[in-house]
């Protein structure tokens, strides 16, 4: 059982304010100060320093935050496992990036539910940056990510490797000529004259595009016009309506490619494939049981 003073410390770490922490915990500000004083006396270190009216974590405070966060995360997972042992219900709390959540997760979840009809499942769909924060805070047990992440900080396994392709809608005016059927091969620089529809900063799709463009000595800013849209289906609909081009995982537009609503734009020397990964915290004390669930859910081996 986690001590309430530990929870106070972690809340102050998140808010970087004794006042906001007190409001969030529904306790007085002097009580927050007493809890932090106890933490510092118990561990024999200063965990916060004040610069004017602002507070900052010390190096010792940062290390303590990391360790105590891991402790809290493991307790949350322990409670889930204990409840599962009592009522025999599997519990899944995980996150998925937008492409994964909308186009790739239905099949494995369906298989899992067939084997565990009473499973308690919670799926959070958000961008890579938000999911990493939720994973670190213990709000989810694992995440399925398109974007890049610090691989040294997490255990991981591959989910799929997918083609990342440039696309446009049927009838789109590419270089002033309507697209229909076969499209002549072009180069990336020529394609930059088009309007680009792209996800928001922090999304996995955008991260992969930025990295791939960087390999070609280009950036998103090199396109003639950039429209930022936070919804994958809206981007697809706008591509179909001829509003611009975009880059997406091939799986996300598989049906539209088959029906001809969307066309792949052949680009010279563009052969971008990217691994979509399942990741979880290395300091999870219940890695063995989590790996067992992941093997069943995704029908694969853990790295």
């Amino acid at each position: 059982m986690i001590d309430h003073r530990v929870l106070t410390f972690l809340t102050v770490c998140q808010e970087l304010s004794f006042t906001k922490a007190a409001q969030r915990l529904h306790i007085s500000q002097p009580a927050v100060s007493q809890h932090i004083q106890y933490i510092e006396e118990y561990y024999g270190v200063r965990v916060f320093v004040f610069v004017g009216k602002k507070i900052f974590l010390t190096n010792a405070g940062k290390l303590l935050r990391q360790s105590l966060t891991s402790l809290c995360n493991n307790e949350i997972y322990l409670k889930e496992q204990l409840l599962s042992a009592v009522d025999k219900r599997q519990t899944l709390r995980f996150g998925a990036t937008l492409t994964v959540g909308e186009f790739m997760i239905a099949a494995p979840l369906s298989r899992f539910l067939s084997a565990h009809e009473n499973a308690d499942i919670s799926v959070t769909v958000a961008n890579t940056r938000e999911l990493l924060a939720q994973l670190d805070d213990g709000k989810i047990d694992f995440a399925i990510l398109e974007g890049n992440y610090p691989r040294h900080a997490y255990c991981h396994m591959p989910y799929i490797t997918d083609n990342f392709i440039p696309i446009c809608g049927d009838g789109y005016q590419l270089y002033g000529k309507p697209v229909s059927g076969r499209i002549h091969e072009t180069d990336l620089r020529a394609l930059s004259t088009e309007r680009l529809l792209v996800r928001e900063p922090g999304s996995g799709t955008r991260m992969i595009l930025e990295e791939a463009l960087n390999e070609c000595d280009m950036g998103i800013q090199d396109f003639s016009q950039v429209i930022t849209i936070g919804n994958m289906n809206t981007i697809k609909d706008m591509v179909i309506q001829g509003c611009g081009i975009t880059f997406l995982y091939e799986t996300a537009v598989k049906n539209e490619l088959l029906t001809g609503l969307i066309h792949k734009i052949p680009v010279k020397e563009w052969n971008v494939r990217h691994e979509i990964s399942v990741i979880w915290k290395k300091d999870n004390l219940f890695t063995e049981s989590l790996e067992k669930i992941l093997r069943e859910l995704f029908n694969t081996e853990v790295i």
Side-chain angles (χ1 to χ4, degrees):
M1 183 181 297
I2 301 298
D3 189 279
H4 63 284
R5 289 164 292 202
V6 170
L7 298 177
T8 298
F9 167 69
L10 292 176
T11 303
V12 176
C13 289
Q14 293 171 353
E15 299 292 344
L16 290 179
S17 165
F18 282 28
T19 301
K20 291 181 180 179
Q23 293 172 348
R24 182 170 156 186
L25 295 168
H26 304 291
I27 60 177
S28 67
Q29 187 169 331
V32 171
S33 299
Q34 290 172 7
H35 292 175
I36 298 304
Q37 182 179 356
Y38 175 87
I39 291 286
E40 292 184 328
E41 290 176 353
Y42 182 85
Y43 288 103
V45 295
R46 290 287 303 277
V47 294
F48 295 109
V49 292
F50 287 82
V51 179
K53 294 183 178 181
K54 294 184 178 181
I55 63 172
F56 299 89
L57 277 162
T58 63
N59 288 334
K62 291 177 182 177
L63 179 59
L64 187 60
R65 176 186 61 185
Q66 179 181 349
S67 300
L68 293 180
T69 297
S70 299
L71 185 64
C72 288
N73 293 351
N74 283 316
E75 176 161 352
I76 291 170
Y77 193 73
L78 173 60
K79 290 172 67 176
E80 293 175 356
Q81 295 303 300
L82 290 173
L83 291 173
S84 296
V86 172
D87 60 19
K88 305 301 181 182
R89 295 176 63 189
Q90 284 284 4
T91 299
L92 291 180
R93 295 182 311 135
F94 70 95
T97 48
L98 192 56
T99 301
V100 176
E102 292 193 4
F103 306 107
M104 302 179 186
I105 199 61
L109 273 182
S110 297
R111 289 195 304 269
F112 192 84
L113 282 171
S114 295
H116 306 278
E117 293 183 359
N118 295 321
D120 182 9
I121 298 176
S122 174
V123 183
T124 299
V125 178
N127 67 37
T128 296
R129 184 184 300 165
E130 292 168 342
L131 291 178
L132 287 174
Q134 291 197 31
L135 188 61
D136 292 340
D137 289 341
K139 296 178 180 177
I140 54 177
D141 298 320
F142 63 92
I144 314 170
L145 304 181
E146 307 159 51
N148 296 320
Y149 59 93
R151 299 177 78 89
H152 66 277
Y154 301 93
C155 297
H156 62 93
M157 57 179 268
Y159 178 35
I160 64 170
T161 300
D162 202 2
N163 295 318
F164 192 71
I165 61 173
I167 58 172
C168 65
D170 187 50
Y172 177 72
Q173 296 281 332
L174 187 64
Y175 314 133
K177 297 180 180 179
V179 168
S180 111
R182 178 176 174 79
I183 307 174
H184 293 296
E185 188 177 55
T186 186
D187 59 63
L188 197 59
R189 287 286 176 186
L191 202 61
S192 67
T193 60
E194 305 299 317
R195 180 192 291 133
L196 177 66
L197 310 178
V198 67
R199 287 281 309 283
E200 77 284 357
S203 73
T205 303
R206 181 165 179 143
M207 287 183 188
I208 301 310
L209 177 57
E210 289 174 335
E211 184 179 88
L213 290 174
N214 185 59
E215 291 292 324
C216 300
D217 296 320
M218 288 181 60
I220 286 176
Q221 71 280 358
D222 292 321
F223 284 79
S224 63
Q225 186 180 4
V226 178
I227 306 296
T228 302
I229 302 169
N231 184 279
M232 180 71 68
N233 282 317
T234 300
I235 290 178
K236 286 172 60 175
D237 288 343
M238 291 184 69
V239 167
I240 291 171
Q241 294 298 321
C243 296
I245 68 167
T246 194
F247 293 74
L248 292 178
Y249 285 106
E250 194 166 7
T251 301
V253 290
K254 178 175 62 177
N255 293 332
E256 290 82 0
L257 289 170
L258 289 173
T259 59
L261 284 173
I262 283 176
H263 297 285
K264 176 181 178 181
I265 305 172
V267 175
K268 296 175 184 176
E269 299 181 358
W270 180 272
N271 184 28
V272 179
R273 289 175 58 80
H274 188 75
E275 177 188 297
I276 296 174
S277 305
V278 183
I279 73 167
W280 64 99
K281 293 288 288 182
K282 277 187 174 180
D283 51 24
N284 190 320
L285 297 180
F286 304 93
T287 292
E288 185 175 345
S289 61
L290 181 58
E291 288 180 354
K292 182 179 178 182
I293 291 174
L294 293 176
R295 282 194 293 268
E296 180 181 358
L297 180 61
F298 300 111
N299 193 27
T300 187
E301 291 300 317
V302 177
I303 293 178

